Amino acid sequence: MALKITVIGTGYLGATHAAAMAELGFEVLGLDVVPDKIEMLQRGEVPMYEPGLEELLRKHVAGIEGASGRLRFTMDPAEAADFGDVHFICVNTPQKHGEYACDMSYVDSALESLAKHLTRPALVVGKSTVPVGSADRLAARLTELAPAGDQVELAWNPEFLREGFAVKDTLHPDRIVVGVRSEHAERVLREVYATPIAEGSPFVVTDFPTSELVKTSANSFLATKISFINAMAEVCEAAGGDVVKLAEALGHDDRIGKKFLRAGIGFGGGCLPKDIRAFMARAGELGADQALTFLREIDSINMRRRGQMVEMAREALGGGPFLGKRVAVLGATFKPDSDDVRDSPALNVAGQIHLQGGQVTVYDPKGMANARRIFPTLGYADTAMEAVRGADVVLHLTEWREFRELDPAELASVATTPLILDGRNALDPEAWRAAGWTYRAMGRPTA
Ligand code: UGA
């Protein structure tokens, strides 16, 4: 009989994982504690913007016309425990308030509320990003709480999906990593991922700590790559170099590669910043803090970028205070193709200028509602054109395709001063200059 799967936590990770499991042919039950989320998902609606996810969900949610019916949702952990052979824990692990460490309370309570009801054999699989050592602790807790005792087992299976590509990354992962303690657990997970394995996704089997570390070290490596090129951008600013050309030339060395070498205002979002901090905190607890002190530098290079963008805007406006200056900000989300504004460098820059007296107007293709919620005092416009109308300077802070497709000549006709600062090194300088703009980008003083 085909395995039955539950997915606990239906945010970014969980909603995508649940829909993908249904797409792979399994019967799936999603569990969450937030009634609004469950009601939306039951209607086939996704509580965030993620390309392709709503379509995939509507293809499978029971009760939607023409859907396979393989995907259902509930708020009852007992129902989930009764239903599933494999339970995926997909809740989030945000940074703790006032600390570097991550908050494990959602993972702990997801595991505990499920475990109490597990009266039959099951495999519980953690997908959340957790500090190394958590799986070991949670495995003991699981056996202690589950009525089925050692018939219930834990495995760890980190998730590497990127926002904006979540569906593709889940259905066609570039690798599947499983931390297991038995051949049985490995066999079950090979069955779950039989389709991507058959397509060629590498399947890497490890112990618990290694599987947890793969995730945090992967994100640390990516953060390091971005901060490396941003450090080079700082040197280029001082030396009169061009960081975009530099990255292009470096990228031709395939040991380095050209991906994740886009200099600009740096990384944000719900993962990279909090993951490197939680990793440092955990290394400290383990007595290995020296090994990760470099991540402190990665973090500060990254956070410095935001302030440097603000200073670049101030200089471009003549060097004085922002008071009375009209600043258009294109982009609010932490990256394009997402509505996520968590720790967004774009909003941070917009906020800093606003708090220094600038009149900031923000436009973003998908992030307006979320941006308004966390930064209600900023000005917002319904289109890029409206944001730019009357502006003394335009800041390009999230590299949406929509912004690359704007007509610089049309925008020049509504701006007070045709002055654009590219915080993502993504616009075509020639096209903007040809339309009369003064174009300046980060790490490219002469380009
Ligand atoms: C990241 C990882 O890329 C995923 O593999 C991982 O699964 C995920 O975190 C997670 O832990 O859940 P994501 O947060 O969606 O994914 O975003 P990225 O695509 O990694 O981008 C992160 C930030 O870096 C964005 O703000 C982006 O604008 C910035 N970035 C990226 C740069 O500034 N330069 C680059 O060259 C690339």
Side-chain angles (χ1 to χ4, degrees), residues 8-9 31 33 77 89-91 104-115 124:
I8 302 163
L31 174 75
V33 293
I89 297 186
C90 297
V91 295
M104 284 291 288
S105 62
Y106 302 118
V107 175
D108 289 344
S109 76
L111 182 112
E112 285 169 12
S113 59
L114 175 76
V124 178

Side-chain angles (χ1 to χ4, degrees), residues 279-341:
F279 200 17
M280 283 186 267
R282 182 62 183 142
E285 288 167 8
L286 293 168
D289 41 340
Q290 258 197 326
L292 298 188
T293 44
F294 76 96
L295 287 179
R296 206 173 304 163
E297 196 53 38
I298 298 307
D299 203 1
S300 35
I301 292 168
N302 189 55
M303 295 309 282
R304 205 152 68 213
R305 300 303 283 164
R306 305 172 181 193
Q308 281 161 351
M309 185 74 227
V310 174
E311 289 319 308
M312 187 182 263
R314 188 197 312 284
E315 266 168 44
L317 289 168
F322 282 107
L323 273 173
K325 300 290 185 190
R326 299 175 72 153
V327 180
V329 168
L330 301 181
T333 54
F334 84 105
K335 70 178 207 179
D337 297 316
S338 165
D339 64 356
D340 196 343
V341 299

Side-chain angles (χ1 to χ4, degrees), residues 36-304:
D36 288 354
K37 236 193 245 177
I38 290 294
E39 282 161 22
M40 276 187 88
L41 291 163
Q42 279 168 337
R43 291 195 302 267
E45 291 165 22
V46 181
M48 63 264 174
Y49 174 73
E50 181 61 41
L53 182 54
E54 195 148 288
E55 290 81 343
L56 194 67
L57 203 71
R58 300 185 71 82
K59 204 172 150 192
H60 296 295
V61 172
I64 290 183
E65 208 188 309
S68 74
R70 288 199 288 271
L71 177 54
R72 292 187 301 112
F73 294 94
T74 183
M75 292 189 56
D76 179 5
E79 186 188 351
D82 188 48
F83 173 89
D85 302 303
V86 183
H87 304 277
F88 283 100
I89 297 186
C90 297
V91 295
N92 63 341
T93 49
Q95 186 174 341
K96 266 192 200 165
H97 190 68
E99 272 180 60
Y100 267 15
C102 83
D103 177 356
M104 284 291 288
S105 62
Y106 302 118
V107 175
D108 289 344
S109 76
L111 182 112
E112 285 169 12
S113 59
L114 175 76
K116 285 188 292 207
H117 301 287
L118 288 172
T119 52
R120 66 182 188 91
L123 183 66
V124 178
V125 185
K127 272 197 140 339
S128 310
T129 300
V130 296
V132 59
S134 303
D136 192 36
R137 175 177 65 79
L138 293 166
R141 189 86 183 113
L142 186 62
T143 328
E144 183 189 314
L145 290 177
D150 56 13
Q151 304 251 59
V152 175
E153 208 188 330
L154 188 78
W156 214 262
N157 169 218
E159 179 55 58
F160 306 101
L161 68 78
R162 297 160 297 170
E163 290 185 19
F165 299 91
V167 171
K168 176 178 163 285
D169 287 350
T170 308
L171 286 172
H172 311 284
D174 56 9
R175 78 283 213 192
I176 298 159
V177 177
V178 298
V180 292
R181 281 187 169 163
S182 74
E183 278 180 19
H184 167 75
E186 179 182 337
R187 215 174 320 117
V188 171
L189 285 164
R190 281 188 186 276
E191 196 176 329
V192 169
Y193 292 115
T195 306
I197 292 171
E199 279 178 0
S201 292
F203 188 82
V204 184
V205 182
T206 75
D207 49 36
F208 278 2
T210 309
S211 67
E212 294 164 314
L213 284 169
V214 175
K215 174 60 193 259
T216 34
S217 55
N219 276 1
S220 299
F221 192 86
L222 294 171
T224 302
K225 242 186 140 178
I226 299 169
S227 277
F228 174 84
I229 202 63
N230 281 332
M232 294 308 112
E234 287 186 21
V235 179
C236 283
E237 282 287 343
D242 178 344
V243 74
V244 172
K245 275 282 164 215
L246 177 75
E248 182 193 332
L250 287 175
H252 287 305
D253 182 335
D254 62 12
R255 292 169 305 175
I256 298 175
K258 59 180 189 298
K259 292 182 182 162
F260 268 66
L261 285 183
R262 221 171 350 88
I265 53 173
F267 59 82
C271 301
L272 262 42
K274 68 109 175 147
D275 284 356
I276 60 171
R277 291 172 195 154
F279 200 17
M280 283 186 267
R282 182 62 183 142
E285 288 167 8
L286 293 168
D289 41 340
Q290 258 197 326
L292 298 188
T293 44
F294 76 96
L295 287 179
R296 206 173 304 163
E297 196 53 38
I298 298 307
D299 203 1
S300 35
I301 292 168
N302 189 55
M303 295 309 282
R304 205 152 68 213

